[in-house]
Amino acid sequence: MLWQAQNSEVALIPGAGTPGSPFADPMRPRGIDLPQRFGPSSVGRIDPGESALEAQAFGLRAAFTSAQRSLGVSDHHSILMSPTAPGFPRIELGTARPWATPLGDFQGTLAAGRLAQTPWAPQRRVGARSGTFIEGRWRPFRSPRLELGVARFYHQDWQGWRLGDFAIPFGSLFFDDQRFGNGAPDNQLASLFGALRLDEIGLELWGEFGKNDRSTDLRDLALEFEHTTAWLVGIKRSWAGAGDLRWEFHATAASGRFPASVLFRPPVETFYDHNILTQGHTHRGLLLGSYLLERNGGAELRLDRISDAQHLTFRLASRDLNQTRGVIVPEARLRQEWSVVADWTRKRSDRLDLFVRAGLVADINRHPTRGDAYNAVLATGVTWRP
């Protein structure tokens, strides 16, 4: 993949205590590598894109890949790794297909790779991190309707490609060096997810619950279960049109969970920023999880018109981007982003696709002195498969 962006100048939001860069995230300048702007000039990149080298045998799979991936059951949004988020170079080991047992079908993946950062990352450590995750899925009694799963993702300082990294996701949930927030230089996130699929009527329901915090012990987990957590729910409805035409409607809502305990124990971070490895849950300055949870939460409506020759998508999304963690936010400081985007992909041949995107973004109360901001989006691309 090769891309280049003009990266025109925008009015930057000032961030208190920004560590040496005006481009850092204004709400979390010391906790996440999520720049407002990628430097003062044009920006581009060349990378392997959706590439993979893999081998399969005896129902197992091993791969070296940089492709996008989802940890969860949603087609478009997941808490730990979203299918629309950037992929990162990694080695994956797991099942090539579900394993059938008397208790149901089981499938799992274990992966370890390298997460990069931008030149504007706060408190840069060694220049990169390791990203290690495990995911397990279960279809009880081989039912096609119900699927349940669990996933865990670890961040650590990058120390090269090491076989021992594959054991990291099996670390303790309690009583480890990180439980007080100033111990081991790592961070872990975990999620539980499930989906109910009723294919006979084209309906699918799913939900996910994530936690980004170790608990001191089981009592701490039980008493403050909602601390530093997030949830995501969605619905999908599919139906057939004339000929090869197919329609899909998706509705997704997500929340970073601001519980009542925030009055007594204010969260020091949003779900994706970290206080030990300060690059946050990112790769090259982009979130690995759902953009709906970049700050406090949001929702998205999506309509897809799909045929063999083309794919047309309309998306309407809203995100809460408030600059404060308080329960009561003055109206003058409320910040909300609304976006409407249309994507069109035309298949010209088995090897060539054309792509066009157009949209409009309204960022309400973006800047404390300049007020609202608006952005028009127009993009085009070509996909060629040799």
Side-chain angles (χ1 to χ4, degrees), residues 53-245:
L53 296 172
E54 67 176 62
Q56 297 186 19
F58 309 106
L60 300 174
R61 170 182 175 269
F64 180 69
T65 178
S66 60
Q68 294 171 311
R69 197 185 193 285
S70 174
L71 294 180
V73 289
S74 171
D75 292 340
H76 304 292
H77 293 279
S78 297
I79 292 179
L80 298 193
M81 282 186 66
S82 185
T84 58
F88 62 95
R90 63 193 183 274
I91 298 173
E92 291 190 0
L93 306 173
T95 55
R97 57 183 180 274
W99 284 0
T101 74
L103 296 178
D105 292 344
F106 289 87
Q107 196 166 7
T109 301
L110 181 62
R114 184 180 189 274
L115 297 171
Q117 61 186 17
T118 71
W120 310 281
Q123 301 177 14
R124 302 183 67 182
R125 297 175 66 95
V126 295
R129 290 152 294 142
S130 64
T132 311
F133 65 82
I134 187 172
E135 180 194 48
R137 296 168 180 259
W138 174 45
R139 290 187 176 181
F141 307 106
R142 308 189 68 181
S143 169
R145 295 176 179 269
L146 182 63
E147 183 175 17
L148 303 174
V150 60
R152 200 176 187 195
F153 196 110
Y154 258 85
H155 298 258
Q156 289 191 336
D157 283 328
W158 176 254
Q159 298 182 30
W161 297 94
R162 303 179 304 171
L163 185 62
D165 286 350
F166 288 100
I168 292 175
F170 298 98
S172 173
L173 290 171
F174 309 109
F175 305 114
D176 62 6
D177 293 335
Q178 179 66 301
R179 65 185 183 272
F180 298 114
N182 58 357
D186 64 7
N187 193 84
Q188 69 90 23
L189 304 90
S191 73
L192 303 171
F193 52 85
L196 177 64
R197 302 181 177 95
L198 305 175
D199 294 336
E200 62 273 18
I201 59 174
L203 183 65
E204 182 176 343
L205 307 170
W206 67 85
E208 187 173 2
F209 176 83
K211 188 163 175 46
N212 175 6
D213 194 19
R214 287 179 176 85
S215 300
T216 303
D217 49 32
L218 186 59
R219 181 179 178 84
D220 180 33
L221 176 64
L223 290 176
E224 296 198 78
F225 183 72
E226 77 284 7
H227 182 68
T228 321
T229 57
W231 58 258
L232 184 149
V233 294
I235 182 172
K236 173 184 174 182
R237 177 73 167 88
S238 308
W239 66 96
D244 64 348
L245 187 62

Side-chain angles (χ1 to χ4, degrees), residues 284-300:
R284 295 188 181 275
L286 300 174
L287 287 179
L288 290 170
S290 170
Y291 76 87
L292 295 178
L293 288 168
E294 177 185 332
R295 293 280 173 80
N296 308 332
E300 180 186 85

